[in-house]
Amino acid sequence: MPVNPHALGNRDPRFADQRWLLDLAIEQFGPEWDQDRLHYLSAPVSADHKGAILGLRNSIRKLDDFTREMASLARHFELRGDGQRRAGHTASASDDHFAAAVLYGGAQWPIFANTELNVVLEQKKTDCYAAYAAGADHHVEPVEVPYEGRTLAGWFHLPPGHTSADAPLPCVVMLSGMDGFKEMSVFASADRHLRRGMAVLALDGPGQGTSLVREVWYDPDRYGQVGTAAYEAVAARPEIDPARIMLCGVSQGSFWVTQMAAAEPRYAACATMFTCFDPGNAVMFGMTSPTFRQRFMYMTGTSGIGELEARLTTMTTTGLSKLIHMPYLAAMGEDDPLCDPADTYRHLNDVSGPKELLFYVGEHHAPVTRTAGRLGPAVFVAVADWLAERAAGTPLASRHTTVDSRGRSHTEPWGGERHYTYGAPLDPRTLLGDGPGTGLS
């Protein structure tokens, strides 16, 4: 069952040439050949649904299998949730509908155009998430953020138990990555940010999630306007303290929220995870899976390589870093194939405000699978705590924290300027002294 017209694949010569290798890689290594996709799709659902999602690695053997297998499991959970709702089992129904929404969103990932199926999957994702919201353990409502005469879709979450009599809350404006969507940004229950007393606006920016079927494409020259639009939409809400609105972006979202922070100084803090600061995404599009460039062509509304590359010439942190004066966090894995650590260091050196790098030795794009991420500070929890500290007014002194391969954290002041030394250990001078090892330990 092809999910894209063959002609669509031919718009990128690299994708066309490597299409058979792509299917071979998936056949040999499973659906997580390029990144921990089933891991991050299963993360926000209830514990009762994780096994079924992780089990998809047994049935996805080629690229075109993703949509069929994920949509099929989504439909199963959706129908089961409908039955649970009729039986009066509200909590069970909501969990089922949440998992269905995430899977419908996952089924959209390999579709690189607004095909009839993609539009239907988008509607099913939205409908299932609305069914989840109706029985969620906290207040959830759909919002539309005005943007250049159009609107961007989002879901607004309040912590469980919040009432109109409570004091105004801090709020995190959350963006996921290029393969992500707003429905997976907040956990079905026990969400890290909501548990810490912060509201969340989970947003689909231009070129992401719902914006794709609306043909609101990503343009790096205009993305900063999303920052002001989102800030004003949240600040206007009576539940929110305008002085404590913060940003958080994951993967490609790390660059997008950086653009937003540079354009809108009223944000109180900005946290980035799994950084994507490689200028123009050159490494991502030239050295990794060909699906990345094919998807970005869809996200930007471009139809050829030359058009895409012209659109992305200004996709760089150069010029943005010095405009960021609020507290700023970057968390990344040392061996991230999508972002050269040196690009992250250069960016942070130029950030004007207080900054912190949480650097996981030997970790991949998402620092959650190797020993540094498994034994050291859990990255999502660490970021949530960092944002909670900023919301509480705790001052940040610029610092550099290395999490070594045993999970031990080594923190020191940022100093004037830092540079990445290629290879392990992180600092070769540790081989000459008695200080803590950071790379080979």
Side-chain angles (χ1 to χ4, degrees):
M1 182 184 73
V3 297
N4 292 296
H6 288 177
L8 194 65
N10 290 332
R11 68 185 178 181
D12 178 5
R14 182 168 177 261
F15 183 88
D17 290 345
Q18 298 181 3
R19 182 67 174 81
W20 69 281
L21 287 172
L22 178 60
D23 280 341
L24 181 61
I26 298 172
E27 173 67 28
Q28 292 296 314
F29 303 108
E32 297 186 287
W33 86 100
D34 64 332
Q35 55 181 297
D36 303 314
R37 183 167 289 102
L38 298 183
H39 179 91
Y40 68 64
L41 287 174
S42 66
V45 306
S46 76
D48 302 305
H49 295 81
K50 292 182 185 296
I53 295 178
L54 293 174
L56 289 173
R57 62 170 55 100
N58 299 317
S59 57
I60 296 175
R61 310 307 303 171
K62 60 182 184 300
L63 185 64
D64 285 333
D65 289 345
F66 275 90
T67 297
R68 179 185 63 251
E69 295 299 320
M70 288 193 175
S72 177
L73 185 56
R75 182 63 173 163
H76 171 75
F77 286 147
E78 178 188 10
L79 293 176
R80 192 174 75 180
D82 291 344
Q84 294 279 28
R85 186 81 68 194
R86 289 191 296 270
H89 303 153
T90 302
S92 297
S94 288
D95 284 348
D96 274 340
H97 286 133
F98 184 94
V102 169
L103 283 162
Y104 278 130
Q108 293 179 276
W109 168 73
I111 306 177
F112 306 130
N114 285 338
T115 62
E116 181 180 4
L117 174 59
N118 199 6
V119 174
V120 169
L121 291 172
E122 173 64 31
Q123 189 61 55
K124 296 297 290 183
K125 176 183 67 178
T126 301
D127 291 346
C128 286
Y129 201 85
Y132 150 72
D137 64 355
H138 63 278
H139 176 79
V140 188
E141 67 176 271
V143 297
E144 294 288 340
V145 175
Y147 173 73
E148 295 191 337
R150 313 279 294 278
T151 60
L152 304 173
W155 292 101
F156 180 72
H157 301 254
L158 288 171
H162 178 79
T163 70
S164 58
D166 293 333
L169 297 168
C171 182
V172 179
V173 177
M174 176 78 69
L175 274 81
S176 60
M178 63 182 290
D179 297 342
F181 42 90
K182 62 188 179 300
E183 287 77 12
M184 58 183 282
S185 293
V186 174
F187 279 28
S189 60
D191 178 75
R192 303 177 182 96
H193 301 93
L194 300 181
R195 289 181 63 203
R196 288 162 174 78
M198 297 179 283
V200 176
L201 171 62
L203 186 67
D204 279 339
Q208 183 187 35
T210 300
S211 296
L212 287 167
V213 299
R214 296 179 179 182
E215 298 187 352
V216 182
W217 310 122
Y218 173 65
D219 183 344
D221 292 338
R222 304 204 305 272
Y223 204 93
Q225 300 173 32
V226 178
T228 297
Y231 177 89
E232 292 182 347
V234 173
R237 299 191 64 101
E239 309 97 333
I240 301 305
D241 179 357
R244 295 190 292 163
I245 301 173
M246 301 171 290
L247 290 163
C248 185
V250 181
S251 191
Q252 196 67 64
S254 68
F255 181 73
W256 296 333
V257 297
T258 297
Q259 292 183 286
M260 294 165 69
E264 181 47 74
R266 289 177 289 179
Y267 285 107
C270 179
T272 67
M273 310 168 63
F274 320 163
T275 58
C276 285
F277 298 141
D278 179 45
N281 280 344
V283 172
M284 181 188 296
F285 296 154
M287 297 173 60
T288 58
S289 172
T291 52
F292 284 107
R293 188 159 68 180
Q294 186 71 267
R295 183 153 186 86
F296 227 79
M297 292 173 71
Y298 175 32
M299 294 168 59
T300 53
T302 52
S303 57
I305 300 305
E307 185 182 0
L308 174 66
E309 291 178 348
R311 178 69 59 84
L312 301 184
T313 55
T314 57
M315 194 174 179
T316 172
T317 59
T318 301
L320 298 178
S321 314
K322 294 183 183 300
L323 299 176
I324 297 175
H325 301 279
M326 72 277 290
Y328 186 93
L329 171 70
M332 75 171 298
E334 180 183 26
D335 295 343
D336 188 337
L338 305 183
C339 181
D340 190 323
D343 290 321
T344 297
Y345 275 76
R346 277 192 292 268
H347 165 53
L348 287 174
N349 280 330
D350 288 341
V351 166
S352 298
K355 62 241 181 172
E356 179 174 5
L357 177 63
L358 188 57
F359 195 78
Y360 291 82
V361 167
E363 280 284 1
H364 204 256
H365 183 56
V368 297
T369 58
R370 280 68 170 177
T371 53
R374 294 200 309 268
L375 302 179
V379 63
F380 282 96
V381 174
V383 171
D385 284 339
W386 188 92
L387 287 166
E389 288 175 352
R390 306 290 81 76
T394 304
L396 175 68
S398 294
R399 59 196 182 193
H400 182 288
T401 298
T402 300
V403 183
D404 69 23
S405 56
R406 297 183 186 177
R408 301 172 301 186
S409 295
H410 310 284
T411 301
E412 55 189 1
W414 185 269
E417 190 169 284
R418 285 184 171 267
H419 300 279
Y420 178 69
T421 301
Y422 291 96
L426 182 66
D427 184 349
R429 290 171 297 179
T430 61
L431 292 174
L432 305 177
D434 299 323
T438 55
L440 297 175
S441 58

